[in-house]
Amino acid sequence: MMEENHLKCGFTDEETGSVSLPSVWRKNQQSAQDSKACQTVVLHSADVLVQTVSVSSSGSQTEAQDQEQPFVQGDHAPSAPGLKEFLQRVEDVVTRELVRNAQSHAFHGYQVKWEEPSQQVSLLHHLHPPCATERNLHVSCVSWSCTGSRIVCGYGRMDDGDWSTQSSFVCAWNLDRGVLSRKTDLMIDVHTTVTALSCHPTYPALIAGGLFTGEVLVWDSSRTLDPVLARTGMLAESHREPVYHVSWVSLGQKKEDLQVLSCCSGGKILLWTLNSDPTRLVLSDAFALVLSQIPHSSSFKGRGSSSSSVGVTSLAVSPWDSDTFLVGCEGGLLLRCSFSCQTLADISSSSEQAVPLRAPVVFTFTQNKGPVHSIHCSAFHRNLFLCCGTDGSVHLHSLLQADPLMSVRVSDCYLFQVQWSPSRPLVFAVATGQGEVHLYDLGRRSLKPSSVLQRDGSRQPSTCLNFNSHNPRLLAVGSADGSVCVWQLSAELTQQDTREGGTLELIANQVSE
Amino acid sequence: MAQLADVEETLKRIEAHKGVIGTVVVNAEGIPIRTSLDNSSAVQYAGLLQDLTMRARSSVRDMDPQNDLTFLRIRSKKHEIMVSPENNFLLIVIQNPCE
């Protein structure tokens, strides 16, 4: 009976709901919520095509003002009251001073030394690019840039005799930057020998150069990728023989319009412009020297027949007269030419020339005994110029007569270049084949060199020299061992004396009747 | 005009003296009104010398207030510049003295 009273109790899980206790102290931090939405308006787009039917373009350019404008007078006369009375008052005083001044010897021989005079001529820099010695190249030409701080040198070998395929280069050093590193500032590779170089007179970056193959190039050293700005190319009308001289001349109406004048040993003198086609030098004028058209050349034996051309080895443009230029030839002929002559050259050419060749010769000077290597016109007297060649003498000529005014015997060897000093009217420098550079002062009575510049231990010929017109105490000399020396001249060689202009006049007036 | 002729005559007489390279007459504003040189040189001379003359005049008067500048001469290597100053005008004569 007891077992039946056992209740069956089953244990089951019972679920009660969850209980939540809200927090008394914690609050919901969200204060306010606001939702906004925006949508751009639908974009309207439309396509329209336009085509120009006619095009016209025009340019405008300010013209440089003419520097030598005649002074316009007369407008101010009525509006300057008291001018007449003023002049009457001061005329006596001024006249008295003028007369007294004209007779006074108060300052006779009085010199003021503004700077410490340096009596020494010293070698400032000796610049030598390493690749020149490997390839055994000479310095063929040096040129200072117009700012006077950079010297540009062209390299090459010119004594090989035959057509050389050796590549050379043009390099430049910037001397104002300090030459401690001796690194070249600019190096342009050229495929052949550079025979002539000239820096632009106003843009420091432009350099004109002539090559052994007859090409004329203009480099722009501010361009990093390809410094060649323009070239002539090998056309029928361009040079076919080594270009011995290039220079920048201004012949047009505007003074900034500079053209490149080049001459070669084929007898042609060509004038190139840069403006129209930016990558090519365009021929604007051409001259040819033909033996039969040179006056008084009967004693000259040119190569071949009398109708053959005469090779040009040097050229100089007169700074006083933009029409005159002087030409030195291979056989020693020294000629005065004019840009404005009209006679056509007596050359039979197989192809039609776009620019007709003209014969420019006006006057023949006394013949030299060998090729004329260099001519330079004086910047201080309109009639004087110097020339030198292989006969070892420097001749001072006047434009007015055929014979030289004076001949200075420099040495027994060849003379490669002669140049007047830009600051002293009576001083000139000559580069000789023995490596010395002689500086002569015509004001001295004896014609011995007032200074001889020689780098120790070098007997290699000095092939070219150039005065720095910005800083006339610097003279750069290039030599056949591939190095360029920059000499600093003494004060007496560079500072002008008061009486030099007069002495130069006297020398120039020695023209025989 | 008679006045104009007189002015020109006076200047011609001055320029005819031995060694005279050129003359410039400058007005009170520093503008050359008569010159025998070219325009750019005349303007350069006028500008530079008017400044110098004013400076010289003030130096003289600073040292002695009773004193005043009567004439200015500048001797250079190549020539001599003579300046005649006034309140309204300046006469500049450039001469190459004999040596």
Side-chain angles (χ1 to χ4, degrees):
Chain A
M1 306 293 199
M2 263 319 207
E3 289 94 26
E4 286 163 10
N5 286 344
H6 275 281
L7 282 168
K8 289 250 182 342
C9 52
F11 287 97
T12 57
D13 290 306
E14 190 169 302
E15 296 223 7
T16 59
S18 65
V19 178
S20 71
L21 296 165
S23 165
V24 178
W25 59 272
R26 195 180 277 174
K27 286 193 195 61
N28 204 345
Q29 293 294 333
Q30 192 171 39
S31 51
Q33 185 177 356
D34 212 353
S35 280
K36 275 199 177 2
C38 66
Q39 165 88 40
T40 52
V41 185
V42 172
L43 281 174
H44 295 285
S45 68
D47 273 316
V48 176
L49 286 175
V50 170
Q51 171 88 30
T52 51
V53 174
S54 75
V55 174
S56 80
S57 68
S58 72
S60 74
Q61 167 89 35
T62 51
E63 295 238 334
Q65 276 194 341
D66 199 8
Q67 294 292 332
E68 299 299 319
Q69 222 169 28
F71 195 72
V72 174
Q73 301 197 359
D75 290 328
H76 297 278
S79 63
L83 178 59
K84 176 163 160 283
E85 286 80 22
F86 161 69
L87 281 178
Q88 279 172 348
R89 269 196 303 270
V90 294
E91 190 192 352
D92 282 335
V93 178
V94 171
T95 310
R96 211 175 35 234
E97 293 301 327
L98 283 173
V99 169
R100 206 191 295 170
N101 224 9
Q103 298 162 345
S104 126
H105 290 277
F107 290 98
H108 196 91
Y110 179 69
Q111 295 270 6
V112 174
K113 302 278 185 286
W114 276 102
E115 300 169 341
E116 267 306 312
S118 65
Q119 302 294 338
Q120 306 278 347
V121 174
S122 57
L123 177 60
L124 263 190
H125 308 294
H126 176 216
L127 307 163
H128 200 122
C131 27
T133 21
E134 298 160 5
R135 300 197 243 171
N136 222 350
L137 293 171
H138 303 314
V139 178
S140 54
C141 36
V142 286
S143 178
W144 290 93
S145 71
C146 62
T147 53
S149 56
R150 200 165 71 159
I151 177 145
V152 184
C153 316
Y155 284 81
R157 286 201 71 114
M158 293 202 285
D159 55 350
D160 272 354
D162 61 357
W163 213 259
S164 74
T165 48
Q166 180 168 53
S167 65
S168 73
F169 53 94
V170 169
C171 66
W173 285 273
N174 191 327
L175 298 178
D176 282 350
R177 281 200 199 145
V179 204
L180 291 176
S181 58
R182 299 295 165 96
K183 231 163 61 78
T184 57
D185 186 40
L186 169 77
M187 179 82 91
I188 303 172
D189 283 312
V190 182
H191 59 276
T192 176
T193 300
V194 179
T195 44
L197 260 191
S198 173
C199 288
H200 196 279
T202 40
Y203 290 121
L206 291 183
I207 308 163
L211 303 181
F212 193 76
T213 53
E215 252 195 295
V216 176
L217 300 175
V218 175
W219 291 288
D220 184 348
S221 59
S222 60
R223 281 155 54 133
T224 41
L225 276 185
D226 179 20
V228 177
L229 180 68
R231 59 196 320 154
T232 56
M234 300 297 295
L235 311 165
E237 47 202 27
S238 62
H239 297 296
R240 292 309 185 92
E241 306 231 355
V243 176
Y244 278 116
H245 187 94
V246 286
S247 62
W248 294 91
V249 293
S250 82
L251 291 177
Q253 286 79 24
K254 312 186 198 86
K255 281 195 181 159
E256 304 81 36
D257 215 3
L258 291 184
Q259 299 169 310
V260 181
L261 182 68
S262 64
C263 69
C264 74
S265 57
K268 281 204 269 198
I269 300 163
L270 304 175
L271 196 60
W272 309 90
T273 37
L274 263 182
N275 302 328
S276 42
D277 189 345
T279 53
R280 274 199 44 202
L281 284 170
V282 175
L283 187 60
S284 69
D285 222 346
F287 303 93
L289 292 181
V290 177
L291 191 54
S292 53
Q293 285 180 311
I294 296 175
H296 309 300
S297 62
S298 46
S299 58
F300 180 68
K301 298 281 178 293
R303 29 178 188 163
S305 59
S306 67
S307 65
S308 67
S309 51
V310 178
V312 177
T313 47
S314 58
L315 195 137
V317 180
S318 165
W320 298 88
D321 181 8
S322 60
D323 188 45
T324 309
F325 63 102
L326 298 160
V327 162
C329 306
E330 280 176 341
L333 276 182
L334 197 53
L335 308 167
R336 174 180 163 186
C337 308
S338 154
F339 279 116
S340 58
C341 61
Q342 297 300 321
T343 47
L344 289 178
D346 202 10
I347 275 191
S348 59
S349 54
S350 49
S351 57
E352 257 303 308
Q353 303 268 357
V355 179
L357 291 165
R358 294 189 273 155
V361 183
V362 169
F363 187 69
T364 314
F365 296 96
T366 315
Q367 191 174 340
N368 276 23
K369 291 188 187 57
V372 179
H373 279 148
S374 163
I375 311 179
H376 197 227
C377 294
S378 169
F380 293 96
H381 197 284
R382 61 182 308 128
N383 286 342
L384 293 179
F385 68 94
L386 288 169
C387 71
C388 76
T390 53
D391 55 0
S393 306
V394 171
H395 303 281
L396 174 67
H397 280 266
S398 164
L399 284 175
L400 305 173
Q401 70 173 27
D403 288 326
L405 289 174
M406 196 191 290
S407 293
V408 179
R409 176 112 192 116
V410 177
S411 76
D412 294 327
C413 54
Y414 293 0
L415 300 176
F416 287 106
Q417 186 149 12
V418 68
Q419 198 179 29
W420 289 100
S421 160
S423 58
R424 282 198 64 190
L426 293 173
V427 169
F428 61 89
V430 183
T432 66
Q434 283 162 351
E436 301 164 339
V437 172
H438 290 242
L439 282 139
Y440 284 88
D441 184 351
L442 292 173
R444 286 203 184 176
R445 265 182 222 121
S446 75
L447 281 180
K448 280 193 315 181
S450 66
S451 221
V452 176
L453 308 175
Q454 164 105 50
R455 197 161 58 83
D456 293 325
S458 156
R459 301 294 287 172
Q460 295 277 341
S462 302
T463 47
C464 45
L465 58 84
N466 206 321
F467 276 98
N468 187 341
S469 49
H470 207 75
N471 180 357
R473 297 185 63 184
L474 296 180
L475 172 63
V477 179
S479 105
D481 61 3
S483 65
V484 175
C485 298
V486 179
W487 296 85
Q488 184 170 48
L489 302 175
S490 64
E492 62 167 4
L493 282 171
T494 49
Q495 278 176 8
Q496 199 176 15
D497 201 359
T498 40
R499 274 156 291 173
E500 279 195 49
T503 318
L504 197 65
E505 274 287 328
L506 281 177
I507 296 175
N509 290 341
Q510 280 168 19
V511 172
S512 55
E513 269 77 50
Chain B
M1 290 191 11
Q3 269 213 346
L4 187 50
D6 280 340
V7 163
E8 297 299 332
E9 240 185 65
T10 317
L11 284 174
K12 286 260 179 322
R13 270 201 297 271
I14 296 179
E15 280 159 30
H17 277 279
K18 183 177 175 194
V20 173
I21 298 174
T23 57
V24 185
V25 179
V26 186
N27 70 358
E29 280 122 35
I31 303 169
I33 48 179
R34 286 280 186 288
T35 180
S36 67
L37 304 169
D38 59 283
N39 208 8
S40 53
S41 310
V43 169
Q44 207 174 16
Y45 269 111
L48 293 169
L49 288 171
Q50 192 174 48
D51 279 341
L52 190 63
T53 314
M54 290 303 124
R55 190 73 195 265
R57 183 163 186 244
S58 63
S59 307
V60 168
R61 289 181 65 143
D62 278 349
M63 283 196 278
D64 181 5
Q66 312 290 326
N67 206 354
D68 203 351
L69 180 72
T70 53
F71 204 74
L72 183 63
R73 287 165 73 160
I74 303 169
R75 183 95 183 194
S76 74
K77 269 206 285 202
K78 295 187 186 173
H79 38 242
E80 174 147 346
I81 303 169
M82 282 173 268
V83 182
S84 246
E86 264 242 344
N87 227 358
N88 298 327
F89 299 103
L90 212 61
L91 172 66
I92 303 169
V93 182
I94 304 135
Q95 186 190 29
N96 195 2
C98 81
E99 281 283 357

